[in-house]
Amino acid sequence: MYHPDGEAILNKIAHVTKFETFNEQEIIDFLSKNKVDGIILRAPAKITPAILDACKDVKAISGAGVGLDNIDVAYATKKGIRVLHAPKVNSQATAEHAVSLILAAMKDIPLFHNETKQGNFGYRDGNFTRELYQKKLGLIGFGSIAQKVAKIMKYGFDMDIIVYVRTIHEERKRIAESLDVELTMSMDEVFQKSDIVSLHIPLNNKTKELIDRKYFKMMKPSAVLINTARGGVINEDDLVSALKNKQIHRAGIDVFDNEPPAKDHPFFDLDEIVFTPHVGGISLEAARAMSMITAENLAKAINGEELETIANRKELTNIK
């Protein structure tokens, strides 16, 4: 769990077994020998078909965040198991982190920090930071996190904001008008026009490595790419090439395709990337709220209560 208060709730209502590392066979063996009613997992742990085959008593499984890309939801549905995601209580934290990465990349904060720490105060000479004021921000996706980013950047930096969405319906129009942002169904347009592009899309079969060399070639050489969504939505090799070839200026990355990344991950050789270890959504405030709600909702799901956070609720109804 992200916070001890969530664990405290679970410990009051159930006998809890905690696995500190993800070992598929160890989990399968435990499920085969014990009656388990529910499971909560955090990445990089996964719920695979083999684990689901061992879930003879499991009624509900919950991720510890909004994303469900580490759970085989379709197979869990076939098994009649409820799959929950955490509500979007970490939207503010993730939005603030995306903005922090934008600022860090535009202001070259990590580079200046390291050079100053090494006694190279003169590094400031000839190395200029870049302003956000009235530049164009492109958002890929327009969920709660992207909307908060738009609000911060519009009112904090007077940025011109363009947002890619797959469909434009009345509710989106209303939200876009309230935030004074432009909606488009052309992702090409966002990448071509923006000074900063921030990704806010889920990882699925359609978005896997969606952001690749095609889009990097469209970007301005001065542009910055930010990813606080999922690492798998970017082709990481193409991003490395784009930065090395100066097709784009900087990147801010909170998520990796494989987590934790290998020690020799190519991102780590580039000064052009600001990176953090998937911490965007785990502010102290968000972690506490998310852990408590996750624990409470899992207990409710095990007891058969209907919840909005059951991701496969409709599919399970259709099976029945």
Side-chain angles (χ1 to χ4, degrees), residues 108 167 270:
D108 269 342
T167 57
L270 297 177

Side-chain angles (χ1 to χ4, degrees), residues 106-118:
M106 292 288 282
K107 302 298 181 182
D108 269 342
I109 289 174
L111 283 172
F112 283 111
H113 170 87
N114 290 333
E115 293 296 331
T116 305
K117 191 174 181 180
Q118 292 170 22

Side-chain angles (χ1 to χ4, degrees), residues 19-46:
F19 293 84
E20 297 292 348
T21 57
F22 175 65
N23 182 304
E24 185 182 45
Q25 191 56 52
E26 185 181 355
I27 294 167
I28 290 170
D29 292 343
F30 184 84
L31 288 165
S32 301
K33 297 172 184 176
N34 298 274
K35 184 180 184 299
V36 178
D37 296 291
I39 299 172
I40 292 178
L41 73 152
R42 281 183 60 181
K46 298 178 181 179

Side-chain angles (χ1 to χ4, degrees), residues 35-312:
K35 184 180 184 299
V36 178
D37 296 291
I39 299 172
I40 292 178
L41 73 152
R42 281 183 60 181
K46 298 178 181 179
I47 298 297
T48 63
I51 289 175
L52 289 166
D53 284 337
C55 289
K56 56 184 185 297
D57 299 304
V58 173
K59 300 179 182 67
I61 297 170
S62 179
V66 178
L68 293 172
D69 47 282
N70 57 339
I71 302 174
D72 192 325
V73 179
Y75 198 59
T77 303
K78 289 182 181 179
K79 295 283 184 180
I81 298 172
R82 295 175 163 201
V83 177
L84 292 83
H85 55 79
K88 298 175 182 179
V89 294
N90 64 348
S91 296
Q92 183 65 32
T94 308
E96 289 182 11
H97 198 75
V99 172
S100 298
L101 288 175
I102 291 171
L103 285 163
M106 292 288 282
K107 302 298 181 182
D108 269 342
I109 289 174
L111 283 172
F112 283 111
H113 170 87
N114 290 333
E115 293 296 331
T116 305
K117 191 174 181 180
Q118 292 170 22
N120 186 12
F121 199 79
Y123 185 75
R124 65 192 292 273
D125 299 333
N127 286 307
F128 300 103
T129 66
R130 303 187 181 206
E131 295 182 8
L132 283 72
Y133 179 64
Q134 292 189 341
K135 287 192 168 66
K136 185 177 267 308
L137 171 67
L139 300 173
I140 306 299
F142 201 43
S144 60
I145 296 169
Q147 290 168 25
K148 290 178 185 297
V149 171
K151 187 174 183 180
I152 294 168
M153 305 312 269
K154 169 62 71 172
Y155 296 110
F157 299 95
D158 195 22
M159 293 193 78
D160 183 20
I161 300 174
I162 184 170
V163 183
Y164 165 76
V165 291
R166 288 182 299 172
T167 57
I168 299 177
H169 48 67
E170 289 304 315
E171 177 65 11
R172 279 193 178 140
K173 282 183 183 178
R174 183 189 65 76
I175 295 171
E177 288 173 3
S178 71
L179 294 171
D180 190 23
V181 304
E182 175 189 354
L183 296 179
T184 179
M185 292 173 62
S186 168
M187 198 150 70
D188 290 7
E189 183 181 8
V190 175
F191 278 90
Q192 289 165 354
K193 291 183 176 180
S194 301
D195 297 294
I196 301 161
V197 176
S198 186
L199 307 179
H200 301 281
I201 50 177
L203 176 62
N204 52 45
N205 291 335
K206 292 182 179 179
T207 62
K208 178 67 174 174
E209 297 190 352
L210 174 66
I211 312 304
D212 60 9
R213 67 185 65 190
K214 167 189 171 184
Y215 293 105
F216 299 141
K217 287 179 179 178
M218 294 179 185
M219 296 176 76
K220 301 175 182 179
S222 58
V224 169
L225 179 78
I226 304 296
N227 189 15
T228 54
R230 285 292 185 267
V233 303
I234 290 178
N235 183 306
E236 293 182 336
D237 290 336
D238 287 357
L239 176 58
V240 169
S241 295
L243 288 163
K244 283 184 175 180
N245 295 326
K246 302 190 181 304
Q247 289 176 323
I248 64 175
H249 178 61
R250 294 284 187 268
I253 300 293
D254 182 50
V255 285
F256 296 79
D257 190 14
N258 290 306
E259 296 183 353
K263 291 182 180 180
D264 61 350
H265 195 289
F267 282 2
F268 300 154
D269 292 330
L270 297 177
D271 288 336
E272 292 83 359
I273 303 183
V274 181
F275 36 75
T276 50
H278 202 159
V279 295
I282 52 173
S283 67
L284 177 62
E285 297 83 356
R288 181 176 184 274
M290 189 160 52
S291 70
M292 293 177 68
I293 294 171
T294 297
E296 291 167 353
N297 283 350
L298 181 71
K300 290 176 182 178
I302 288 171
N303 290 327
E305 294 186 37
E306 292 299 326
L307 301 163
E308 288 296 324
T309 52
I310 298 174
N312 59 345

